[in-house]
Amino acid sequence: MLEGIEHVALAVSDLDVAIRHHREVWGLEVARRERVEDQGIEEATLPLGAAALQLIAPTSPASTVARFLERRGEGLHHVAYEVADVRAALERLRALGVALVDEEPRRGGGGDLVAFVHPRGNHGLLVELVQRSGDPSA
Ligand code: CO
């Protein structure tokens, strides 16, 4: 069912500061930076091997990432698993009684189809399912 880890996402309070840190300390470069209005965040994607590190910062105080930072501070926010078919994956999880954040897939960064699985019932890990758009220009 899982094709691999697509990205690991870190919640940060200042995207520019975090990007600079990851360039200077880890030698990682930003391949894509975009606002995902749907999630109230701005994200920067830094390729790392076959996967990527994603830095996410809130663009509005109402965003779930803003609330996350208030409650827990900066740190690991979610791990994204790549799947071939996000709808089929949601169907399977629903059948298993796993709590979902998204009942239907939505558009994530880069035009990918994504859906979040609730950390409750998944040993505390927020998982994002990612079905890549396959569009290199997205
Ligand atoms: Co993500």
Side-chain angles (χ1 to χ4, degrees), residues 6-81:
E6 214 276 337
H7 63 264
V8 171
L10 209 58
V12 302
S13 45
D14 185 319
L15 198 54
D16 291 311
V17 169
I19 286 171
R20 194 160 57 241
H21 171 89
H22 283 83
R23 181 181 300 121
E24 288 173 4
V25 175
W26 300 110
L28 298 176
E29 298 291 342
V30 175
R32 198 182 71 223
R33 179 171 175 162
E34 71 181 293
R35 291 169 77 95
V36 185
E37 300 297 348
D38 200 36
Q39 297 173 32
I41 61 163
E42 185 174 12
E43 66 179 34
T45 302
L46 293 67
L48 204 181
L53 180 70
Q54 210 165 68
L55 305 173
I56 58 180
T59 53
S60 119
S63 111
T64 56
V65 174
R67 295 205 299 274
F68 177 94
L69 288 170
E70 262 168 43
R71 265 196 337 267
R72 314 191 18 196
E74 293 188 310
L76 178 66
H77 185 264
H78 65 269
V79 174
Y81 295 150

Side-chain angles (χ1 to χ4, degrees), residues 74-119:
E74 293 188 310
L76 178 66
H77 185 264
H78 65 269
V79 174
Y81 295 150
E82 186 179 354
V83 294
D85 182 340
V86 70
R87 282 193 175 81
L90 285 175
E91 207 47 57
R92 176 186 149 82
L93 293 168
R94 228 187 324 265
L96 290 169
V98 175
L100 304 176
V101 175
D102 298 310
E103 293 295 332
E104 289 296 324
R106 46 176 155 151
R107 287 284 154 199
D112 295 339
L113 270 185
V114 307
F116 283 88
V117 178
H118 207 284

